[in-house]
Amino acid sequence: MTGTRTPRDAAPTEIIDATTRTVEQDAGRAQALFRATGSGGDGVRSDIRIGEHAVLVDEPPALGGGNAAPNPVQFALASLLSCQVVTYRFRAARLGIPLDDMQVDVEGDLDVRGFFGLDDDVRPGFGAVRLVVGLRGQASEEDYQRRREAVDAHCPVLDLVRHPTPVTTRATS
Amino acid sequence: MTGTRTPRDAAPTEIIDATTRTVEQDAGRAQALFRATGSGGDGVRSDIRIGEHAVLVDEPPALGGGNAAPNPVQFALASLLSCQVVTYRFRAARLGIPLDDMQVDVEGDLDVRGFFGLDDDVRPGFGAVRLVVGLRGQASEEDYQRRREAVDAHCPVLDLVRHPTPVTTRATS
């Protein structure tokens, strides 16, 4: 994130306070740029670099891969799952609700006729996604419900999935 | 994918043919279900299982993590990048356009005021995403352009990013 100065492994409340102060002083410092770069390797796999991290993405044999790693749409679900975890942690801290463990299950329905171009009325992406979040802690049912609504309103990847995001694409050779 | 019978590491053209035959016989076999399951561990990290694969997601220190892995929105970009690779490979095979190497760069702008709840007019997700795909092979510029349009119309994760997808969320305790 751009411009925040926080201690390593700071607790969410400290980060919220520090970010609030930083952004109040200069809203421009709220602007973050995230990047990934990768190459198409053998078959359908991708070798991706994200900062210092390497991520491998593949497909199962039925989609032309060697099953060396999850596939792109599975990573999309993992992205959503993990974003819920982060957002719950931060909103729990902000709302002062105790949260010990979390368990998240996510699934998505995909009709492959869209990807394969076999039916123009079928979208290539997920037709529906379902998220179930198990929360364990010392809070009441009402507190958990309140937290869920706050999380769903502020989760970056849930927003990405639920709402349109403008994308420009360019091919070079 | 549900119900297709293809050889291990089959070429895209064989997979397209096999899937087309399968789906023509029974459209119900085009329905695929993808899943991920995970738990929130120490701090903001997630330990995720996708079939036999384990995926770790973390945050940088400025967002409360230990930087053990990319963060959720970076995985969203990796998902998009890798889905472009798969879709280019399949469309190139379908269109009969030679494609040797691919290089994909993706970036997204995120205003963290949305995630932190500091401004209700700021969305929590990416405000914009930019994709640049470098294609190398023996095709003409026009062929590559034609492929880009076909890919963009059939890429599952690009569809997910560009268009709304219904998501149900449920919290249990």
Side-chain angles (χ1 to χ4, degrees):
Chain A
M1 197 175 53
T2 312
T4 55
R5 295 287 176 277
T6 49
R8 183 170 169 79
D9 285 326
T13 46
E14 298 168 48
I15 293 169
I16 294 166
D17 291 345
T19 303
T20 304
R21 283 193 304 273
T22 300
V23 170
E24 278 173 354
Q25 288 163 13
D26 179 1
R29 293 173 76 183
Q31 308 303 319
L33 179 68
F34 293 96
R35 279 199 190 94
T37 184
S39 55
D42 285 343
V44 292
R45 65 185 263 174
S46 297
D47 291 285
I48 300 176
R49 297 294 311 184
I50 299 172
E52 68 203 69
H53 303 293
V55 175
L56 177 64
V57 184
D58 200 10
E59 290 281 358
L63 284 166
N67 198 31
N71 80 357
V73 298
Q74 289 170 323
F75 270 111
L77 296 178
S79 166
L80 175 58
L81 187 166
S82 57
C83 205
Q84 286 270 300
V85 168
V86 177
T87 312
Y88 268 98
R89 289 291 184 197
F90 272 83
R91 301 308 293 190
R94 192 180 167 109
L95 296 171
I97 298 171
L99 174 59
D100 300 333
D101 295 325
M102 291 185 60
Q103 171 75 30
V104 187
D105 296 293
V106 57
E107 58 182 29
D109 302 322
L110 198 143
D111 185 328
V112 302
R113 288 177 295 178
F115 170 72
F116 282 102
L118 301 177
D119 187 337
D120 286 345
D121 292 334
V122 175
R123 68 180 293 181
F126 289 119
V129 171
R130 294 171 293 280
L131 257 174
V132 180
V133 183
L135 304 165
R136 275 176 289 279
Q138 302 300 312
S140 69
E141 187 66 36
E142 188 184 59
D143 283 338
Y144 285 128
Q145 202 58 26
R146 189 155 53 96
R147 179 163 35 191
R148 185 182 67 73
E149 289 166 11
V151 166
D152 287 357
H154 294 93
C155 177
V157 181
L158 183 58
D159 177 32
L160 176 84
V161 176
R162 279 189 162 158
H163 304 121
T165 299
V167 185
T168 59
T169 67
R170 191 158 62 86
T172 63
S173 58
Chain B
M1 196 174 54
T2 312
T4 55
R5 294 290 177 272
T6 48
R8 183 170 170 77
D9 285 326
T13 46
E14 297 168 47
I15 294 169
I16 293 167
D17 291 346
T19 302
T20 303
R21 284 194 303 273
T22 300
V23 170
E24 277 173 356
Q25 288 163 14
D26 179 1
R29 293 173 76 183
Q31 308 302 320
L33 179 68
F34 292 96
R35 279 200 190 93
T37 183
S39 56
D42 285 342
V44 291
R45 65 185 262 173
S46 296
D47 291 285
I48 300 176
R49 297 295 308 184
I50 299 171
E52 68 203 68
H53 303 293
V55 175
L56 176 64
V57 185
D58 200 10
E59 290 281 0
L63 284 166
N67 199 30
N71 80 357
V73 298
Q74 289 170 322
F75 270 111
L77 296 179
S79 165
L80 175 58
L81 187 167
S82 57
C83 204
Q84 286 270 301
V85 168
V86 176
T87 311
Y88 268 98
R89 290 289 184 200
F90 272 83
R91 301 308 293 191
R94 191 181 168 109
L95 296 172
I97 298 171
L99 174 58
D100 300 331
D101 295 325
M102 291 186 60
Q103 171 75 30
V104 188
D105 296 292
V106 57
E107 57 182 30
D109 302 322
L110 198 144
D111 185 327
V112 301
R113 289 178 294 178
F115 169 72
F116 282 102
L118 301 178
D119 187 338
D120 286 346
D121 293 334
V122 175
R123 68 181 294 181
F126 288 119
V129 171
R130 293 171 293 279
L131 259 173
V132 179
V133 183
L135 304 165
R136 274 176 290 277
Q138 302 299 313
S140 69
E141 186 67 35
E142 187 184 59
D143 284 338
Y144 284 128
Q145 202 58 27
R146 190 155 52 97
R147 177 161 40 188
R148 185 183 68 74
E149 288 166 11
V151 166
D152 288 356
H154 294 92
C155 176
V157 180
L158 184 58
D159 177 32
L160 176 84
V161 176
R162 278 191 163 155
H163 304 121
T165 299
V167 185
T168 59
T169 67
R170 191 158 61 86
T172 64
S173 57

